[in-house]
Amino acid sequence: MFTKVLIALYPLIVFIALVFIFKFFKLRHITNRKLKIPDIFTIFLILGMQIFSKNATSISVLPYYLLIISGLALVLLLLDLFYYKHFSYRRFLKLWWRITFFITFIIYIGVVVMVFVH
């Protein structure tokens, strides 16, 4: 039961910790306001998703997740090349990483639902 509560509260705990870390170390000012909380939060969600999916269901979600974000990268690359006729790696990486955050969060919520239903 404690594991299920920890799985559900993990994103909230990490988010609150990151807010305090960003405020304490003034990371936004150091990076000229380019680094944001979702950029770091994504990494912690990926780690949590891997650990909790492996412990709770004995199935690792990470290979499927990597397949999804790799497909996203290919789609964004093709859209960049066909729509803009020019490739800017900074714009591509920024857009890809921000969309990866949303996909990671949705998959993490799916893992939480799967743990509670299972």
Side-chain angles (χ1 to χ4, degrees):
M1 185 65 178
F2 176 72
T3 315
K4 289 182 179 182
V5 172
L6 183 65
I7 291 171
L9 292 179
Y10 175 76
L12 184 63
I13 294 168
V14 169
F15 183 77
I16 291 171
L18 282 176
V19 168
F20 285 126
I21 290 171
F22 267 67
K23 295 270 187 200
F24 184 73
F25 291 111
K26 298 181 178 161
L27 292 176
R28 296 239 334 144
H29 297 293
I30 292 172
T31 61
N32 294 327
R33 302 196 187 282
K34 291 183 181 176
L35 185 66
K36 297 183 180 177
I37 292 177
D39 297 336
I40 306 298
F41 191 53
T42 304
I43 296 168
F44 286 106
L45 279 179
I46 293 170
L47 288 173
M49 184 173 55
Q50 169 62 19
I51 292 167
F52 294 137
S53 70
K54 192 78 168 163
N55 287 343
T57 62
S58 74
I59 298 171
S60 178
V61 179
L62 193 62
Y64 303 109
Y65 171 75
L66 292 175
L67 191 66
I68 290 170
I69 63 170
S70 297
L72 171 68
L74 284 173
V75 168
L76 287 177
L77 175 68
L78 291 174
L79 286 174
D80 237 9
L81 291 175
F82 287 133
Y83 185 73
Y84 292 113
K85 308 274 192 256
H86 177 265
F87 179 70
S88 170
Y89 70 91
R90 289 180 189 227
R91 183 181 65 218
F92 168 77
L93 285 177
K94 185 177 179 181
L95 179 65
W96 177 73
W97 191 249
R98 300 285 163 85
I99 293 175
T100 299
F101 165 71
F102 289 114
I103 290 174
T104 306
F105 195 69
I106 290 169
I107 291 175
Y108 188 86
I109 290 172
V111 167
V112 170
V113 168
M114 184 174 63
V115 165
F116 278 105
V117 169
H118 191 271

